[in-house]
């Protein structure tokens, strides 16, 4: 399905409720973030918001391609969601997570229906958005299960709760937002540093992501430097996207999703013609400058006589 | 343009905002940066936008944010005229800032006769033409040296205790750290004699006025943000800020890189707004007339953008006015990356190395062929009028951007075109309103006013209609949570406090912050296989990747090709004669070039200029550099690469410098 196809004409109307719900969801997250004191949950909310923003941008692009203007106001639903979120966050993080999941469940139903009605680029776009929504929903369910110790909630997950949380308490790794088990152990930095937490599984995965030239030198780094390097890399955008595709997709019952590296798509090996140098000229102008006096004059003399400068190269 | 919009739409729809990226420049005009930023953030909704200023000036911004709460250089060029002591840290001014260096040399002949201290691993033209003291430190050890200077300043009691007590925070933590750096220890780490360090501290501390500059020897080196912050802290120690002749001058490496940072074409939001502050985003959304829910995305810096491209997340890369095929770190890897994405190159030259890898080239005008503003490192905005028409199909970058926005059907929340201005002055006028009331306030400037003067320094508004020579004259710093651009980053990881944490526990409430760190050796280290440190840098006659200067025969003749500067001791040991071809090999790639033997670099260090990078030859210094960035500024560490030198062949002909020397 492409913009020229007749079936696209109704696409913008199909996307309207999804756009409104996603915008409302973002407003609700903003409201929840303002009340959240735990830094790990703030980061989790920021990423949840980023996922919803990505969904909106994808759908907005589809609408713009029709020559129309996407309605990104969120309407009445936004006001309602903000109020609900504000109330829920006053009762605590668990209630906030439950409210967020309720909204996400509605979205999954709508996305699933919509994916079935479209094809082509629109289908690809909505599948991607549905994937984000499913991941988010399972993330929330895992946290709710951990925080409420509810077997029923844990039963909704495709894997045992222990695969999502290794420790006794609910924590949100700042890369994958869970607290998955691993061999290297979790990394944590506290006051005077900004609070930072990376779960054991992410620690392992980030170590494996480091470029080979750096990984080969890692044993020489003091422990603090090594851990800081892992945190720096692990909190970067690439590593966080890797965590979603490699780790969170399977934990949401989805296939792992990783893109094809650019080098595999390269069509020409870059090693071509050198950039042509300047054409030879018979008579070159001479470099000059406004000459000062004293040290300034001596300096400018050297500058225009390049061979004097070469002594310093 | 149709192909460009089709590819953008397809990638955005199918992949989302991580599917496309914009990598722009430090050499465009203010109005163009503002438009790029608005298109990216309010139109496409992407966070993957940055500029090549990430390679040159990102640490300037991060250090000013960490020390003073927000970006914005505090000083002015006229401060050099009032200084009794000038300290250049990692700044080869005689080759990189030639006009400024003339000004400094003129000042040396004036009544104040300032002492000039140069901190540089190389014995540069700056050292020979005007330095009173050269602290020749080992590459990557800036933090240890600066901690040592601060140690002696405290020891000598050449500090301003009243200023520290009334206008700063975290002095005790700072003092505790620098107390670990007595001159003897600094000598062991940096190789700078303790007596020289003491002399430098004596000159700095006893002078009534001091200006300190930093450039790429700080910004592209180990612990970049920590070192630049240490310079800021040194000035706080002495209360030397906000008055004539007293400034930490954190420099910018390109003509308009200040504008990239101010207008939001790099990783930051326009007008130094903080992406994490809901009130900042609400205000911006109101002025842009877009939903606030779609703003406030965590910026993604250039090194991460290239990694996103490499791993396959980014499908379409729009490269505007820059040449990463030569300048990107770990270049060997990223040449394939650039070849594997759908690459749009917008440039005034079609034969750049990056353009050779492009899927689409959009020919653009260069300065003199278009109208707009540039702001320099003292916050001075200058209007540049179009003098000639651009050749052929070339258009002003702004016109290409406006065309793109129209073709993409970008609209605001009420359905009107997102960008309603049609020329540079219209863009400037919108920018004035966006910046109104924020730190880089341009609201009091107009094209007419700029045309009548030799530029105006921001903030320029109703309170300061003629602009402002220097910031922080009232000794109040924008560190309050309501205005701060940073919430105090961890210098080792780059991670910041949350807004709530900062507001409740860390807010300095208008005071400046003493920031420094323990010295940490570079993570790229020498060993038996790679026993030498390579540093890269610039030459007086070329600008970056030679896209322009390589076409000026006089300049090209003055600096015709790549070379490897090597110390005579090392050359003797390796059997390398002056002019012999050598291969410099790092863990990532190699450079083949003639050896220039001498005493410019110390033993154990080689220097390779980074201007050269023809696709078919091993000339690029960035073949050697690691994919390592400063945790806070995300600026690539391009000054520290472990290498080995392999002798290839004795030259049969004379190299260019030998021909000239024999005359």
């Amino acid at each position: 399905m492409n913009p020229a196809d007749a079936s696209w004409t109704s696409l913008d109307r199909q996307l309207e409720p999804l756009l409104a719900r996603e915008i409302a969801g973002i407003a609700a997250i903003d409201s929840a973030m303002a009340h959240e004191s735990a830094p790990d949950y703030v980061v989790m909310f920021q990423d949840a918001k980023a996922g919803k923003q990505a969904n909106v941008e994808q759908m907005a692009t589809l609408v713009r391609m029709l020559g129309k203007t996407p309605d990104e106001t969120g309407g009445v639903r936004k006001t309602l969601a903000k109020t609900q979120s504000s109330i829920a966050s006053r009762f605590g993080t668990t209630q906030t997570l439950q409210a967020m999941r309720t909204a996400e469940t509605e979205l999954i139903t709508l996305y699933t229906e919509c994916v079935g009605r479209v094809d082509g680029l629109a289908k690809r776009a909505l599948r991607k958005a549905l994937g984000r929504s499913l991941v988010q929903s399972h993330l929330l369910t895992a946290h709710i299960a951990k925080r409420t110790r509810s077997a029923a909630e844990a039963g909704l997950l495709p894997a045992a709760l222990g695969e999502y949380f290794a420790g006794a308490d609910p924590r949100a790794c700042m890369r994958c937002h869970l607290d998955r088990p691993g061999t290297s152990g979790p990394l944590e930095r506290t006051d005077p540093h900004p609070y930072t937490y990376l779960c054991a599984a992410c620690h392992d995965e980030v170590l494996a992501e480091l470029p080979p030239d750096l990984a080969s030198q890692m044993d020489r780094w003091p422990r603090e430097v090594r851990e800081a390097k892992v945190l720096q890399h692990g909190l970067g955008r690439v590593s966080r996207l890797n965590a979603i595709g490699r780790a969170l997709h399977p934990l949401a019952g989805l296939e792992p999703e990783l893109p094809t590296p650019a080098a595999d798509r390269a069509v020409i090996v870059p090693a071509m013609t050198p950039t042509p140098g300047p054409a030879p000229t018979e008579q070159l102008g001479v470099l000059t400058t406004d000459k000062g006096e004293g040290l300034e004059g001596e300096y400018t003399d050297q500058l225009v006589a390049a061979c004097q400068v070469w002594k310093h190269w | 343009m149709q192909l460009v919009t089709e590819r953008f739409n397809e990638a955005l729809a199918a992949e989302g905002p991580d599917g496309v990226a914009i990598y722009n420049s430090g050499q465009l005009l203010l109005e163009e940066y503002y438009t790029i930023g608005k298109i990216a953030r309010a139109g496409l909704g992407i966070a993957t936008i940055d500029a090549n200023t990430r390679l040159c000036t990102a640490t300037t911004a991060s250090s000013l944010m960490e020390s003073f709460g927000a970006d914005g250089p505090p000083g002015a060029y006229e401060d050099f005229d009032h200084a009794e002591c000038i300290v250049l840290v990692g700044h080869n001014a005689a080759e990189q800032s030639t006009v400024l260096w003339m000004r400094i040399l003129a000042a040396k002949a004036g009544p104040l006769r300032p002492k000039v201290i140069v901190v540089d691993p190389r014995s540069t033209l700056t050292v020979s033409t005007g330095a009173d003291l050269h602290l020749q430190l080992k590459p990557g050890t800036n933090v240890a040296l600066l901690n040592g200077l601060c140690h002696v300043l405290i020891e000598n009691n050449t500090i301003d205790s009243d200023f520290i007590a009334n206008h700063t925070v975290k002095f005790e933590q700072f003092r505790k750290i620098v107390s670990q750096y007595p001159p003897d220890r600094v000598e062991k780490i940096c190789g700078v004699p303790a007596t020289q360090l003491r002399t430098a501290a004596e000159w700095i501390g006893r002078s009534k006025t001091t200006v300190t500059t930093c450039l790429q020897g700080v910004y592209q080196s180990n612990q970049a943000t920590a070192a630049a912050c240490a310079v800021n802290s040194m000035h706080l120690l002495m209360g030397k800020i906000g008055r004539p002749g007293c400034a930490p001058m954190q420099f910018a490496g390109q003509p308009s890189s200040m504008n990239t940072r101010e207008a939001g074409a790099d990783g930051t939001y326009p007008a130094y707004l903080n992406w994490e502050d809901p009130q900042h985003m609400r205000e911006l959304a109101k002025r842009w007339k877009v939903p606030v829910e779609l703003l406030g995305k965590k910026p993604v810096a250039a090194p991460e953008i290239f990694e996103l491209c490499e791993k396959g997340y980014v499908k379409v890369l729009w490269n505007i006015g820059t040449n990463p095929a030569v300048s990107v770190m770990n270049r060997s890897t990223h040449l394939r990356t650039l070849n594997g994405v759908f690459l749009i190159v917008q440039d005034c030259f079609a034969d750049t190395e990056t353009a050779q890898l492009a899927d689409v080239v959009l020919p653009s005008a260069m300065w003199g062929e278009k109208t707009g503003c540039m702001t320099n490192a003292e916050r001075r905005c200058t209007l540049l009028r179009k003098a000639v028409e651009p050749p052929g199909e070339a258009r002003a970058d702004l016109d290409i951007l406006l065309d793109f926005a129209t073709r993409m059907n970008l609209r605001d929340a009420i359905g009107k075109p997102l960008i309603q201005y049609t020329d540079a002055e219209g863009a400037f006028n919108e920018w004035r309103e966006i910046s109104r009331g924020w730190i880089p306030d341009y609201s009091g400037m107009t094209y007419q006013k700029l045309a009548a003067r030799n530029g105006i320094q921001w903030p320029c508004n109703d309170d300061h209609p003629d602009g402002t020579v220097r910031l922080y004259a009232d000794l109040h710093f924008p560190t309050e949570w309501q205005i701060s651009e940073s919430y105090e980053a961890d210098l080792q990881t780059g991670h910041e406090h949350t807004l709530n944490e900062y507001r409740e526990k860390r807010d300095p409430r208008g005071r400046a912050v003493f920031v420094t760190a323990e010295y940490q050796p570079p993570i790229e280290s020498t060993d038996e296989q790679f026993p030498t440190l390579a540093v890269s840098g610039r030459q007086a006659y070329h600008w970056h990747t030679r896209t322009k200067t390589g076409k000026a025969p006089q300049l090209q003749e003055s600096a015709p090709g790549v070379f490897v500067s090597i110390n005579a001791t090392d050359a003797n040991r390796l059997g390398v004669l002056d002019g012999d071809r050598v291969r410099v090999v790092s863990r990532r790639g190699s450079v083949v070039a003639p050896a220039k033997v001498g005493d410019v670099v110390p033993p154990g260090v080689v220097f390779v200029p980074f201007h050269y990078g023809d696709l078919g030859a091993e000339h690029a210094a960035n073949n050697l550099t690691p994919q390592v960035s400063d945790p806070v500024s995300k600026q690539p560490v391009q000054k520290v690469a472990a290498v080995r030198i392999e002798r290839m062949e004795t030259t049969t002909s004379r190299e260019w410098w030998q021909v000239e020397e024999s005359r």
Side-chain angles (χ1 to χ4, degrees), chain B residues 348-514:
Chain B
C348 46
F349 296 106
D351 64 351
T352 69
E353 288 80 355
T354 308
Q356 291 179 51
L357 301 173
D359 294 280
V360 177
V361 178
L362 303 174
S364 63
M366 64 186 297
W367 73 272
E369 296 168 350
K370 58 185 181 181
T371 292
C373 293
M374 283 193 178
T375 302
N376 70 6
E378 63 166 8
R379 297 166 282 103
R380 183 179 298 277
C381 178
T382 307
L383 175 64
L384 290 79
R385 292 279 192 196
K386 178 167 147 180
V388 294
E389 289 298 324
E393 296 176 61
R395 292 188 288 172
D397 291 278
L398 181 66
D399 291 337
I400 296 172
L401 295 164
L402 297 180
D403 187 7
F404 175 80
T406 304
R407 286 171 185 267
M408 289 291 287
N409 189 30
L410 302 180
R411 294 184 177 270
D412 66 16
I414 52 171
K416 290 190 173 167
L418 179 71
I419 296 175
Q420 294 180 26
Y421 47 80
T422 55
D423 60 12
E425 188 166 4
F428 185 80
N429 287 336
E430 183 171 309
W431 161 245
R432 287 169 56 206
E433 291 311 311
I434 293 297
S435 71
R436 183 184 291 276
W438 298 105
I439 291 170
D441 192 338
Y442 280 69
S443 60
M445 296 186 202
T446 62
Y447 266 25
Q448 289 72 23
K449 208 163 158 181
L450 287 167
R453 302 182 192 196
N454 185 24
I456 300 173
Q457 288 172 280
W458 64 253
C460 175
N461 48 30
D462 293 343
D463 293 337
H464 305 280
D466 297 322
T468 309
V469 175
R470 56 185 66 78
L471 303 180
Y472 313 136
D474 60 355
L475 305 183
H476 185 96
F477 301 89
T479 48
E480 298 99 333
W481 69 267
Q482 295 95 331
I483 185 84
S484 181
E485 211 183 346
S486 160
Y487 298 145
E488 198 186 300
D490 182 336
L491 294 182
Q492 285 189 309
T493 67
H495 188 59
E496 283 187 26
H497 290 281
T498 64
L499 169 58
N500 288 343
E501 283 179 301
Y502 185 79
R503 182 173 53 203
E504 286 157 24
K505 298 178 193 163
R506 322 293 299 192
D507 189 343
R509 297 170 201 275
R511 295 180 183 215
V513 184
F514 274 103

Side-chain angles (χ1 to χ4, degrees), chain A residues 23 26-27 30 33-37 39 42-43 46 49 53-54 56-58 61-62 64-65 67-69 72-73 78 121 124-125 128 132 174 189 191-196 213-214 216-217 220-222 224-225 228-229 231-233 235-238 240-242 258-263 265-279 281 284-287 289-290 295-296 299-300 302-307 309-313, chain B residues 9-10 12-18 43-45 94-95 98 101-102 105-106 108 122-125 128-129 275-276 291 293-295 297-298 300 304 307-315 335-337 339-340 351 353 356-357 408-412 415 488 490 492-493 495-498 500-501 506 520 523-527 539-541 550 553-559 563 565 587-588 596 600 614-616 626-631 656-657 660:
Chain A
I23 293 279
I26 295 168
D30 278 338
M33 252 192 299
H35 293 97
E36 182 57 60
S37 58
V42 171
V43 172
Q46 283 172 345
K49 178 179 170 179
Q53 288 173 323
V56 171
E57 297 301 350
Q58 284 186 274
T61 304
L62 292 172
R64 282 198 305 263
M65 288 171 78
K68 298 186 176 178
T69 304
E72 296 167 329
T73 58
K78 185 168 90 175
L121 184 59
R124 280 171 66 196
K128 185 95 181 177
R132 285 196 197 98
M174 291 175 173
R189 274 164 93 87
D191 196 56
H193 305 293
Y195 181 78
T196 321
D213 57 307
L214 293 182
S216 67
Q217 301 178 70
R220 297 180 210 155
W221 304 341
E224 192 191 2
V225 171
K229 198 79 229 160
L231 286 170
Q232 183 192 345
H233 186 89
L235 299 182
R237 186 70 185 149
V238 179
R240 285 155 87 152
L241 286 175
N242 287 346
L258 283 174
T260 309
R265 297 198 306 264
V267 288
I268 311 164
V269 178
M272 284 85 57
T273 48
T275 309
T281 53
L284 295 182
V286 179
L287 291 177
T289 182
D290 291 336
L295 282 175
E296 193 187 345
Y299 162 64
T300 50
Q302 288 192 44
L303 200 59
V304 296
C307 59
V309 176
W310 295 347
K311 291 174 184 166
H312 302 283
W313 289 354
Chain B
N9 274 327
E10 190 184 330
L12 267 175
E15 309 294 333
D18 288 311
L44 307 175
E95 292 210 53
T98 50
W101 188 237
M102 288 165 73
L105 293 176
K108 275 175 77 77
R122 292 193 298 144
S123 186
T124 61
L125 185 67
S128 76
T129 53
W275 70 273
E276 283 189 88
E293 288 78 17
L294 301 183
L295 300 179
K297 290 173 185 158
K298 186 179 183 182
V300 181
E304 288 185 287
E307 210 184 336
L308 284 168
C309 293
E310 180 195 346
K311 303 299 180 199
Y313 290 107
V314 168
K315 311 287 193 224
L335 281 183
R336 296 189 69 82
T337 299
N339 197 238
D351 64 351
E353 288 80 355
Q356 291 179 51
L357 301 173
M408 289 291 287
N409 189 30
L410 302 180
R411 294 184 177 270
D412 66 16
E488 198 186 300
D490 182 336
Q492 285 189 309
T493 67
H495 188 59
E496 283 187 26
H497 290 281
T498 64
N500 288 343
E501 283 179 301
R506 322 293 299 192
Q520 295 285 357
I523 64 166
E524 163 90 351
S525 55
T526 54
D527 58 16
Q539 300 168 287
Y541 307 105
Q554 295 93 333
L555 297 175
Q556 183 63 20
E557 284 211 339
S558 297
F563 60 89
S565 183
R587 294 180 174 95
R588 293 152 294 275
K596 195 166 183 311
V600 174
D614 296 327
L615 290 180
Q627 196 156 322
V628 174
S629 303
D630 180 72
W656 40 272
W657 68 85
E660 197 64 36

Side-chain angles (χ1 to χ4, degrees), chain A residues 15-175:
Chain A
L15 298 182
E16 250 174 43
L18 286 161
L19 274 167
R21 277 176 168 77
E22 291 286 25
I23 293 279
I26 295 168
I29 291 171
D30 278 338
S31 183
M33 252 192 299
H35 293 97
E36 182 57 60
S37 58
D40 51 342
Y41 277 90
V42 171
V43 172
M44 179 173 146
F45 289 165
Q46 283 172 345
D47 273 3
K49 178 179 170 179
K52 293 192 166 300
Q53 288 173 323
N55 289 350
V56 171
E57 297 301 350
Q58 284 186 274
M59 291 187 281
T61 304
L62 292 172
V63 176
R64 282 198 305 263
M65 288 171 78
L66 295 168
K68 298 186 176 178
T69 304
D71 181 358
E72 296 167 329
T73 58
V76 183
R77 189 173 286 278
K78 185 168 90 175
T79 315
L80 188 66
K82 274 170 81 170
T83 311
Q84 285 173 336
S85 172
S86 186
I87 294 166
S89 58
R90 283 173 212 279
F91 286 99
T93 304
T94 306
Q95 282 72 15
T96 303
L97 300 175
Q98 284 167 333
M100 285 168 72
R101 189 181 55 178
T102 304
E104 211 62 53
T105 306
E106 277 182 36
L107 273 167
I108 288 168
T109 307
L110 286 172
Y111 274 127
T112 307
E113 287 169 7
C114 209
V115 165
R117 288 198 297 262
V118 299
D119 54 21
L121 184 59
K123 198 179 199 76
R124 280 171 66 196
L126 292 172
R127 267 196 185 143
K128 185 95 181 177
L130 173 61
R132 285 196 197 98
S133 212
L134 283 165
V135 166
Q136 180 62 14
S137 165
H138 283 84
L139 203 60
L140 292 165
T141 300
H143 275 273
I144 293 164
K146 187 69 181 174
R147 297 176 77 92
T148 59
R149 300 173 194 277
S150 158
E153 291 286 353
L156 298 172
L157 298 167
L161 191 59
E163 296 294 309
Y164 299 78
F165 290 96
D169 301 318
R171 314 181 74 167
C173 162
M174 291 175 173
R175 179 174 178 265

